Amino acid sequence: MRGHKLLNILIFVGLIAGVIVGFLLLKWFDSQDLTGAEIGQKIKWLATAGDLILIRPLKMLIIPLVFASVVVGITSIGDPSRLGLVGTTTIVYYFATMFVAVVLGAFLVTSIRPGDGVSQKIDFDQVRETFENSDTSPKKKIEGAPKDLGGAWSNILRQVIPDNVLGAAVEGQPLPVITFAILFGLALGFLGDRVKPAVDFFEAFFQAIMTLVGWVLWLTPIGVFLLVAWTIASLGGEAIAAVGKYMIVVITGLIIHGFLTLPLVLFLFGQTNPYRFMWRMRPALMTAFGTDSSSATLPVTIRTAETEGECSKRASGFVLPLGSTINMDGTALYEAVAVIFLFQVFGIELGFEALAVVALTATLAAVGAAGIPSAGLVTMVIVIQAVNTSLAGTGKPELPIWSIGIILGVDRIVDMCRTTINVWGDLVGAKIITRIAPDDEDQRAAAMG
Ligand code: ASP
């Protein structure tokens, strides 16, 4: 227990030290008149070191962990009717909370209007040029990603129904592995006692991976320090000046969703003290903030939920892996705010119908976003295209895709905040589902209060 406490303190210290060093570097480079992108390049070694020390070790564990935890989760839920209830409740929870997040984001951005007056502060030619030509431009990623609703759906469906699960595993795609693990777990459950050694094997496999996660966790303080320092230093004063208000709107939305909406949902449906639970989940939340990736954080999320959050293996083995790729409340909120903000910058007014399109497609775009850095930025194109299509025939101009370049400079910091809320949403789901699928009677009694 003392080890846990020390680790939590160290992660916190790493995070705060990262913020302080990041701001000091930012100030220092700013005085040399460097832009955010230039600073980012100059101190790229910080990001590379953070990648080597924390992100890669965590990523190494993801696929084996996803497979083992889902198999163990599904086999231990057992009873097919309970499994149906857990599955349905989980999916309803994911979509309902994402939709609420989108509506909140749309409400805030249409009332505060952070896009008004921004166009005078921006050099559009330069934004376009940077978006299309720079080395770090997301243009290439966007070109390879689906751009319309049909493409997005079929992309998700192809992952949900994979033809080559090993190929997907090799490419590090969790969703196809989850599908296979659910089916495999069902088959093991169906065969019952005859395959008990296999069930025991996966249980032991899962425990071993969890032990590895425990070891990697000790790298978190230094990894988080390096990554946070790099992100803050490469923000660049010029980016914040133009889109600071937009950042404030996204972060305010994330705070309201994370500190009010989700706690309320947890209180009502999980009968848990939400803030105490949030406090206990801080290793996972701080790792999410530092790594900028729900998938990379997943090993820490599962471990923290089980060891410190009293979530059942049944609930966390299923809700957390699936949630890390599907359930993204923070990303959904951000997509809505960012798209409406960009339309505001270009002076294009969106009516109710267009806002409804934003709400629906932002939810889907968040589902389609992988749990990796900047994934939401890429799937945002789906939302922009859908709104552009809905505007056809109204006489209003289209929003160019390169307009995404306007928010590029601050996206990493916004991404860290939304990733934290994505992971928090998954944890709240796991705690709620623990009530339906506790591991034993003691836990059931505790979950029922
Ligand atoms: N980085 C986010 C996550 O991993 C996804 C995104 O919004 O870009 O959850």
Side-chain angles (χ1 to χ4, degrees):
M1 208 55 207
R2 278 186 56 194
H4 273 305
K5 274 207 174 122
L6 176 65
L7 183 61
N8 286 347
I9 294 171
L10 287 177
I11 302 177
F12 184 69
V13 170
L15 190 72
I16 298 298
V19 173
I20 295 172
V21 171
F23 273 115
L24 291 176
L25 285 170
L26 176 65
K27 245 185 136 32
W28 189 60
F29 282 114
D30 242 10
S31 65
Q32 300 179 16
D33 256 0
L34 292 178
T35 66
E38 285 163 349
I39 302 172
Q41 276 308 314
K42 255 193 181 328
I43 51 169
K44 197 154 195 282
W45 63 271
L46 279 175
T48 310
D51 185 54
L52 287 171
I53 290 175
L54 182 61
I55 309 264
R56 293 178 74 88
L58 282 173
K59 277 171 119 177
M60 175 175 73
L61 301 175
I62 296 172
I63 294 293
L65 172 66
V66 163
F67 188 68
S69 72
V70 175
V71 169
V72 170
I74 296 288
T75 47
S76 58
I77 293 174
D79 179 1
S81 66
R82 177 119 60 97
L83 197 62
L85 183 63
V86 168
T88 320
T89 316
T90 304
I91 301 292
V92 169
Y93 168 80
Y94 288 164
F95 279 91
T97 50
M98 274 191 282
F99 193 70
V100 169
V102 164
V103 172
L104 171 65
F107 171 74
L108 288 176
V109 71
T110 44
S111 350
I112 301 174
R113 302 194 60 88
D116 291 353
V118 169
S119 59
Q120 290 116 35
K121 298 186 206 149
I122 291 180
D123 177 347
F124 287 103
D125 290 336
Q126 204 206 328
V127 169
R128 184 182 195 151
E129 163 85 20
T130 321
F131 180 82
E132 293 187 341
N133 300 323
S134 91
D135 293 346
T136 49
S137 158
K139 195 175 163 234
K140 285 192 197 73
K141 279 195 210 155
I142 288 174
E143 273 165 1
K147 282 172 230 25
D148 56 22
L149 274 182
W153 272 118
S154 83
N155 193 31
I156 296 173
L157 285 178
R158 254 187 267 127
Q159 290 193 48
V160 172
I161 310 169
D163 60 350
N164 179 355
V165 70
L166 289 182
V170 168
E171 283 174 15
Q173 293 179 6
L175 213 48
V177 177
I178 292 173
T179 303
F180 182 71
I182 292 176
L183 295 172
F184 192 75
L186 284 175
L188 287 179
F190 177 74
L191 291 168
D193 279 349
R194 269 179 290 167
V195 292
K196 188 151 184 316
V199 175
D200 289 344
F201 168 81
F202 282 108
E203 177 76 42
F205 187 88
F206 176 68
Q207 295 301 341
I209 301 272
M210 274 294 128
T211 305
L212 287 179
V213 175
W215 295 345
V216 172
L217 261 177
W218 287 95
L219 301 172
T220 312
I222 180 88
V224 164
F225 164 74
L226 293 163
L227 294 166
V228 171
W230 176 71
T231 304
I232 300 217
S234 34
L235 259 175
E238 82 288 355
I240 305 179
V243 296
K245 215 166 156 195
Y246 147 81
M247 277 174 74
I248 293 173
V249 173
V250 179
I251 292 172
T252 306
L254 294 174
I255 290 175
I256 295 176
H257 192 74
F259 282 88
L260 294 176
T261 313
L262 288 174
L264 185 67
V265 173
L266 180 55
F267 178 73
L268 293 177
F269 298 101
Q271 309 239 308
T272 299
N273 179 333
Y275 299 108
R276 194 182 307 146
F277 181 65
M278 184 190 276
W279 178 246
R280 289 192 183 156
M281 294 303 98
R282 64 199 186 284
L285 300 176
M286 289 190 287
T287 309
F289 186 79
T291 59
D292 205 3
S293 162
S294 316
S295 289
T297 309
L298 181 64
V300 187
T301 315
I302 294 182
R303 193 182 151 94
T304 316
E306 288 186 15
T307 57
E308 293 182 45
E310 287 157 9
C311 292
S312 69
K313 218 182 311 159
R314 294 171 174 173
S316 47
F318 177 71
V319 181
L320 296 175
L322 199 58
S324 74
T325 89
I326 287 186
N327 182 39
M328 298 204 178
D329 295 8
T331 302
L333 185 144
Y334 145 84
E335 303 244 5
V337 174
V339 170
I340 298 172
F341 164 76
L342 292 175
F343 274 95
Q344 285 172 356
V345 173
F346 279 72
I348 309 168
E349 277 308 312
L350 298 182
F352 181 76
E353 196 188 317
L355 289 176
V357 171
V358 171
L360 292 175
T361 48
T363 309
L364 180 74
V367 172
I372 56 173
S374 297
L377 190 77
V378 176
T379 59
M380 190 191 297
V381 177
I382 300 170
V383 187
I384 296 180
Q385 299 281 34
V387 180
N388 278 344
T389 311
S390 81
L391 291 181
T394 63
K396 291 183 182 168
E398 288 195 347
L399 182 72
I401 298 300
W402 59 260
S403 64
I404 292 177
I406 295 171
I407 52 172
L408 211 55
V410 295
D411 200 62
R412 169 94 191 183
I413 188 93
V414 172
D415 199 359
M416 290 161 101
C417 302
R418 63 186 191 247
T419 307
T420 311
I421 299 301
N422 290 345
V423 170
W424 173 228
D426 298 341
L427 285 162
V428 168
K431 190 68 183 167
I432 291 173
I433 301 295
T434 297
R435 285 193 80 201
I436 305 174
D439 281 338
D440 51 40
E441 284 312 311
D442 286 353
Q443 206 172 32
R444 178 187 294 273
M448 301 304 276

